[in-house]
Amino acid sequence: MMRGLLGGALLVHGVAHLVGFVVPWRIVTSSEVPYRTTLLGADIDQAGVRALGLAWLLVSVLFVVLGASVLRHAAWHYEAILTLVGVSVVLCLLGLPESRPGLLANASIGALLLLGWFLGTYPEM
């Protein structure tokens, strides 16, 4: 059950990260997630916004791959998930306030990982 919850959370969070790609690349427009060319108060122009969007896309793909690995009982590593959650937290902090739900999702994934490890549900590190 813990594997299913963790794998599902990773998959859903990966799909949610796509917003950070499709808005900067102007594939989708949204009133809830506006297109902007500033980061931490500095203008990063369209090229910078697109580069950041590619980071969101990469993290999205990696979350989906790790989620599928967990669900398929394939080899995966705690370190990879923890690293990815850390990168996701940084991206979410850069995308505040719109990315606030992502911070909660990252905390949930961390909690599921920690709980499963504590209960001995996941393979040894």
Side-chain angles (χ1 to χ4, degrees), residues 15-38 49 52-53 56 91-92 94-102:
V15 171
H17 264 268
L18 285 176
V19 173
F21 170 71
V22 297
V23 171
W25 281 74
R26 295 185 175 177
I27 297 169
V28 172
T29 57
S30 169
S31 60
E32 295 157 5
V33 182
Y35 175 83
R36 42 180 187 203
T37 59
T38 58
V49 170
L52 188 59
W56 281 91
L91 287 173
C92 288
L94 293 174
L96 284 174
E98 293 83 14
S99 60
R100 191 173 301 128

Side-chain angles (χ1 to χ4, degrees), residues 5-94:
L5 288 172
L6 178 62
L10 291 169
L11 288 172
V12 169
H13 194 50
V15 171
H17 264 268
L18 285 176
V19 173
F21 170 71
V22 297
V23 171
W25 281 74
R26 295 185 175 177
I27 297 169
V28 172
T29 57
S30 169
S31 60
E32 295 157 5
V33 182
Y35 175 83
R36 42 180 187 203
T37 59
T38 58
L39 182 65
L40 301 174
D43 186 26
I44 59 170
D45 68 45
Q46 186 175 1
V49 170
R50 285 186 166 212
L52 188 59
L54 288 175
W56 281 91
L57 178 63
L58 176 62
V59 170
S60 173
V61 169
L62 292 173
F63 266 121
V64 169
V65 167
L66 280 172
S69 295
V70 170
L71 291 174
R72 296 188 69 224
H73 297 266
W76 54 280
H77 300 280
Y78 294 99
E79 295 87 358
I81 295 173
L82 289 174
T83 301
L84 194 56
V85 165
V87 172
S88 177
V89 166
V90 170
L91 287 173
C92 288
L93 289 172
L94 293 174

